[in-house]
Amino acid sequence: MVKKRIGIDVGGTNVKIALVTDEGQIIYSNSVPTRAEMGYEYTVNNIKQAIYDLMKETKTEAKEIQGIGFGFPGQVDCQNGIVKLLPNIPGWVNVPIAKMLEDEFHIPTRIDNDARCAALGEYFAGAGKGCQNLVCVTVGTGVGSGLIINGKVVRGASNAAGEIGHIKLQMHDGPMCGCGDTGCMEAFVSAPSIVAMAEDYIKGGKSTKYRELANPEISAYIVAEAAKSGDKVAQRIFKTMGEYLGIGLASVVNLLNPERVIIGGGVADAGEIFLEPVRNTIKDRAMEIAGGAVEVVAAQLGNTAGVIGASLLIEN
Ligand SMILES: [Zn+2]
C-alpha cells in the first residue's frame, strides 16, 4: 500500500498544502492565504481547515497519514517543533506549531526551514536523485541552501546550518546585507541586486531591452526575459551575478566536496545564462579535485520542492 504524508509550505502570501506519497508524488494539493496581519492563529486555523478538506476530498482518514511536515521561511526549532521567528511573516514568534497540529489530528508533525525542505525534495524526487552529498541553493529575494551530506540532512547545532547567503565575499566596505553585516554574498546575488544593477545601467544611459519591458517597474524576471531575448546588458548582469554566486560556491565546494550543486529559486529561472557562469567560476576557482567532482544543475521540482520535502521530514 502507498504511504501518504502531508507536506505544507508556508510563504508570506499563501500556504501550500499537499498529500504526497512516500516516493514524492503529489496526489492532491491546495492552498490558503497566509494573511499574516490577522495573526498566526488565523493562518493555523486556515491550515487545519485545508487539511480537513484534503482528507475529505481524497477520502483519506487521519490514521492513513504517516506524518505532517512544515517548511517555514525563517528560524525553527526542529527538535521541539517550534517556529522561532519568521522575518517576513510578522507574528510568528515561538509558535509551537507541531503540538498544535498533533493535538488536532493526532498525526506526528515535524517542521524545518524552507530551504532544507527544498533540498530534501530535490534529493528524493528531483535533481539530487542518486546523490549522497549535495548542496541545494535557492536564489530569490535572498540566497538560502539546504545541505545533504552522506545522505543526511545537515541542521547544525541550533538548526542554523546552510546560510550560504552570508558567506562574505568582501572584507571591507561591501554592500549592506539584511543580516546586519556587510559584504555577504546575498548582498551581491539576489533578485533585489539584479534590479539595482539594472537600474544603474539605465542611469548610465545604456540602451536596454528591459527598460522597454518594464511595466512599470523593472523586476529580476524582466531582466531575465531581456537577457533571453538577446539583450547584451541584461546578459551581462546575469553573468556578473553568476560569477558572484560561483565565487561563494567555490568555497562551499572546497569545504564539503559535494557531487552536485542544485540551483533553484526565482532568479535561477533565468536558466543557462545564470548557471553557466556559476559552473565556470566554480571550475576555475575551486580546488581541482573537489571542483572536478561537482556537477552544477538546475532544480527540477520548481515550487513543489517545498511541499514534497516537507512531507519527507517525518523520516528525515
Ligand atoms: Zn548577511
Side-chain angles (χ1 to χ4, degrees):
M1 202 178 88
V2 183
K3 294 175 183 166
K4 297 172 198 168
R5 299 80 177 267
I6 290 175
I8 302 175
D9 184 10
V10 179
T13 310
N14 51 51
V15 181
K16 297 188 204 79
I17 295 136
L19 187 64
V20 187
T21 70
D22 59 343
E23 293 186 332
Q25 298 296 315
I26 294 177
I27 299 168
Y28 167 93
S29 69
N30 60 16
S31 78
V32 294
T34 308
R35 301 284 305 271
E37 75 281 5
M38 305 286 283
Y40 77 87
E41 295 93 341
Y42 175 90
T43 313
V44 173
N45 284 334
N46 274 350
I47 292 170
K48 287 179 182 171
Q49 188 54 51
I51 291 173
Y52 283 117
D53 292 347
L54 173 154
M55 292 196 291
K56 191 171 164 212
E57 289 184 34
T58 60
K59 300 185 169 61
T60 307
E61 290 179 50
K63 64 175 193 295
E64 297 173 66
I65 299 170
Q66 283 189 315
I68 297 174
F70 276 88
F72 286 98
Q75 298 165 25
V76 290
D77 172 349
C78 306
Q79 288 70 30
N80 297 301
I82 296 169
V83 175
K84 307 293 283 182
L85 181 72
L86 306 179
N88 301 314
I89 311 181
W92 286 77
V93 179
N94 294 324
V95 177
I97 184 71
K99 182 172 189 313
M100 292 168 85
L101 271 281
E102 286 176 349
D103 286 349
E104 181 86 18
F105 296 103
H106 307 286
I107 300 172
T109 302
R110 303 280 181 274
I111 73 169
D112 211 325
N113 75 25
D114 52 0
R116 251 175 248 137
C117 289
L120 257 180
E122 293 289 345
Y123 172 56
F124 273 91
K129 269 190 186 170
C131 277
Q132 288 296 295
N133 300 281
L134 64 86
V135 178
C136 182
V137 186
T138 308
V139 188
T141 313
V143 180
S145 83
L147 311 174
I148 310 271
I149 301 293
N150 298 332
K152 292 254 185 287
V153 182
V154 177
R155 296 190 167 89
S158 50
N159 298 299
E163 290 286 359
I164 63 166
H166 307 282
I167 286 178
K168 312 308 173 194
L169 296 190
Q170 188 170 339
M171 190 160 146
H172 297 299
D173 307 319
M176 274 302 292
C177 178
C179 73
D181 198 7
T182 60
C184 297
M185 185 159 73
E186 185 170 298
F188 291 90
V189 187
S190 61
S193 44
I194 288 171
V195 172
M197 198 182 281
E199 284 170 348
D200 269 357
Y201 275 111
I202 288 181
K203 282 191 206 124
K206 289 244 178 11
S207 158
T208 58
K209 172 100 179 165
Y210 57 79
R211 191 209 306 251
E212 295 161 32
L213 294 172
N215 70 351
E217 291 185 348
I218 294 170
S219 63
Y221 174 79
I222 280 170
V223 182
E225 289 300 298
K228 284 180 196 164
S229 69
D231 182 72
K232 291 279 183 280
V233 174
Q235 287 175 351
R236 177 66 190 265
I237 292 170
F238 274 95
K239 182 164 185 282
T240 306
M241 290 292 149
E243 288 169 353
Y244 281 135
L245 184 61
I247 293 269
L249 287 175
S251 297
V252 174
V253 166
N254 287 341
L255 184 70
L256 300 175
N257 189 199
E259 295 141 77
R260 223 166 273 172
V261 171
I262 299 166
I263 303 188
V267 171
D269 290 345
E272 279 300 309
I273 52 166
F274 182 57
L275 287 193
E276 196 188 321
V278 175
R279 194 178 289 132
N280 292 340
T281 307
I282 292 174
K283 293 286 179 211
D284 287 348
R285 304 294 298 271
M287 301 287 285
E288 196 177 341
I289 293 176
V294 69
E295 264 185 298
V296 178
V297 299
Q300 287 179 359
L301 301 180
N303 62 11
T304 63
V307 285
I308 293 172
S311 78
L312 292 157
L313 289 173
I314 200 65
E315 55 185 14
N316 286 283

